[in-house]
Amino acid sequence: GGCCGTAPEYIRKLREIADAAKPQPTPFRRVSAVCSARKRVVVDGVKVIGERINPTGKKAMKAALLTGDTDFISRQALEQAEAGAEILDVNAGLPEIDETKTLVKIVRHLQTVTDLPLQIDCGKADAIEKALRYYCGKAIVNSVNGEDKVMDAILPHVARYGAAVVGLTIDEKGIPKTCAERVAIAEKIIARAKEYGIPEEDVYIDCLTLTVSAEQAQAKETLAAIAEIKRRHNVKTVLGVSNISFGLPARPVVNHAFLLAALYAGLDLPILNPNVAENRQAVAAFNVLTGRDTNCAAFTQMFAAAPEPAQKNAPLSDGKAELLKEREPLAVINEFLIPALNKVGDLFESGKLFLPQLIAAAESAKGCFEEVKLHFKGGESANRGTIVLATVQG
């Protein structure tokens, strides 16, 4: 064919040339890659996803989303890019705002200030679809999980717009406790993605990080699941690293060690704060030790940061037996147990106690209440109503 004004004779000449030519074979190799309109990132080693454009636990970012402060969001993007992030996570999940409208606004705005590819961090299918429509390039969608209704709502949009997708190893039963259960959910997600025409190279599995101060054994299960999934499938792995240290002092020290362990297990895409020196150091050291950093060139530019000094555990005392000899059971509860729990809560809020001590105090208080209940006389207890406790699904 030809453009406007091309005569039939010209087309005939093109036909002669084409008939005499032999097409050259074009080798094709599938790769895991994402891109913006101006920059491609091939996931052929460790690629850092910057976590800062997310209101979870970040008061300043929450305020920026509520007020529409795109300048603050721009600064976060540029600072992360300068610190070494290769992909930027973008999350607008606040109940006080229109998430779809805000997410689209941020995605459109960030494309004018940075050339880094974006990870659209949202669980709402309609918001994801609109954000992908306005994104110029191949994005990552974070995320789907093992629930059929979630996969069937989001994966069609991922396939339609040619995006990559993060699969969380969680389903309607919650986060599994074992490596085998995590792998099973991952394989369900991989299989469902293929049904929608999404190849393994575009599936990034997140084996989920639980805080080690509350569920210590889970760190090993997460690492084992990463390694097993990488062994079985041609997928990439992604992980929010900093969750591991929640509730502990000297969090960067724990994050640093866990990040290195996860990288050696097969983690490809750590989601972290690139502005923290320990995070940059861990990735740089891994690249040196695995030969990815030729001649250690990048590592020589890094600097060491002194770890935050560890704080001593606050002592916990249990003198319930002695108190019950001197006071009535209800007085022990009102004058000692409840004030003690309030004090522990205040110390936790101020950063003087940490999650392991908080859990230990709760377990201690539980034992105290059980013993105090044994000393109540008939008719002393009273129903003061219903208490409702809620947490996030899963």
Side-chain angles (χ1 to χ4, degrees), residues 42-60:
V42 179
V43 188
D44 54 0
V46 182
K47 305 298 178 183
V48 172
I49 301 176
E51 69 177 8
R52 297 300 300 170
I53 305 175
N54 187 323
T56 305
K58 303 176 183 69
K59 292 181 180 179

Side-chain angles (χ1 to χ4, degrees), residues 179-324:
C179 165
E181 291 172 312
R182 281 179 167 90
V183 171
I185 295 176
E187 292 186 327
K188 178 180 179 181
I189 294 170
I190 293 167
R192 186 64 57 85
K194 287 180 179 178
E195 291 176 9
Y196 283 103
I198 303 167
E200 286 194 1
E201 293 81 8
D202 287 339
V203 178
Y204 305 159
I205 296 297
D206 187 338
C207 293
L208 299 172
T209 312
L210 298 177
T211 175
V212 74
S213 59
E215 298 192 56
Q216 203 161 6
Q218 287 301 299
K220 292 189 293 184
E221 296 296 327
T222 297
L223 296 175
I226 292 172
E228 183 63 16
I229 287 166
K230 292 286 288 187
R231 187 185 69 81
R232 294 189 185 192
H233 296 281
N234 189 32
V235 299
K236 300 300 179 182
T237 54
V238 60
L239 200 65
V241 175
S242 60
N243 289 345
I244 193 71
S245 63
F246 180 78
L248 289 173
R251 291 187 65 186
V253 176
V254 179
N255 293 346
H256 178 107
F258 183 69
L259 173 57
L260 273 174
L263 292 174
Y264 275 102
L267 176 61
D268 301 293
L269 294 148
I271 304 175
L272 48 79
N273 182 356
N275 302 96
V276 174
E278 288 86 350
N279 292 335
R280 298 199 305 272
Q281 285 177 267
V283 174
F286 175 78
N287 287 334
V288 166
L289 296 172
T290 55
R292 290 176 169 87
D293 181 6
T294 305
N295 297 324
C296 307
F299 186 80
T300 58
Q301 301 177 18
M302 295 295 175
F303 60 93
E308 180 184 331
Q311 300 185 37
K312 294 182 179 179
N313 294 347
L316 296 171
S317 176
D318 181 6
K320 58 185 179 296
E322 289 75 12
L323 287 173
L324 287 168

Side-chain angles (χ1 to χ4, degrees), residues 15-281:
R15 181 72 265 166
E16 292 174 9
I17 295 172
D19 287 342
K22 183 179 181 181
Q24 295 296 311
T26 303
F28 176 73
R29 180 175 62 90
R30 286 193 176 275
V31 296
S32 295
V34 293
C35 68
S36 66
R38 293 172 286 164
K39 186 171 186 177
R40 180 182 70 154
V41 174
V42 179
V43 188
D44 54 0
V46 182
K47 305 298 178 183
V48 172
I49 301 176
E51 69 177 8
R52 297 300 300 170
I53 305 175
N54 187 323
T56 305
K58 303 176 183 69
K59 292 181 180 179
M61 180 57 68
K62 179 178 179 180
L65 291 174
L66 290 173
T67 60
D69 185 356
T70 53
D71 287 341
F72 178 84
I73 296 171
S74 296
R75 288 196 299 274
Q76 292 294 312
L78 294 173
E79 287 174 6
Q80 291 184 99
E82 186 176 350
E86 289 143 303
I87 300 166
L88 296 179
D89 185 78
V90 181
N91 186 303
L94 283 177
E96 302 95 330
I97 61 176
D98 184 331
E99 184 175 357
T100 300
K101 183 178 179 180
T102 305
L103 184 63
V104 169
K105 178 182 178 181
I106 296 173
V107 166
R108 297 184 72 178
H109 175 74
L110 285 175
Q111 293 180 94
T112 68
V113 298
T114 179
D115 62 357
L116 295 186
L118 302 182
Q119 174 172 272
I120 297 169
D121 189 350
C122 179
K124 298 179 179 178
D126 57 339
I128 290 170
E129 194 276 334
K130 286 183 172 60
L132 287 173
R133 180 179 296 182
Y134 282 100
Y135 183 69
C136 301
K138 178 178 180 178
I140 304 173
V141 171
N142 184 10
S143 56
V144 298
N145 58 42
E147 293 188 58
D148 291 324
K149 64 179 181 180
V150 174
M151 290 187 287
D152 291 337
I154 295 176
L155 288 178
H157 298 310
V158 174
R160 179 184 180 190
Y161 289 95
V165 64
V166 173
L168 304 177
T169 55
I170 183 175
D171 57 18
E172 58 275 2
K173 298 177 183 177
I175 299 176
K177 297 293 184 182
T178 68
C179 165
E181 291 172 312
R182 281 179 167 90
V183 171
I185 295 176
E187 292 186 327
K188 178 180 179 181
I189 294 170
I190 293 167
R192 186 64 57 85
K194 287 180 179 178
E195 291 176 9
Y196 283 103
I198 303 167
E200 286 194 1
E201 293 81 8
D202 287 339
V203 178
Y204 305 159
I205 296 297
D206 187 338
C207 293
L208 299 172
T209 312
L210 298 177
T211 175
V212 74
S213 59
E215 298 192 56
Q216 203 161 6
Q218 287 301 299
K220 292 189 293 184
E221 296 296 327
T222 297
L223 296 175
I226 292 172
E228 183 63 16
I229 287 166
K230 292 286 288 187
R231 187 185 69 81
R232 294 189 185 192
H233 296 281
N234 189 32
V235 299
K236 300 300 179 182
T237 54
V238 60
L239 200 65
V241 175
S242 60
N243 289 345
I244 193 71
S245 63
F246 180 78
L248 289 173
R251 291 187 65 186
V253 176
V254 179
N255 293 346
H256 178 107
F258 183 69
L259 173 57
L260 273 174
L263 292 174
Y264 275 102
L267 176 61
D268 301 293
L269 294 148
I271 304 175
L272 48 79
N273 182 356
N275 302 96
V276 174
E278 288 86 350
N279 292 335
R280 298 199 305 272
Q281 285 177 267

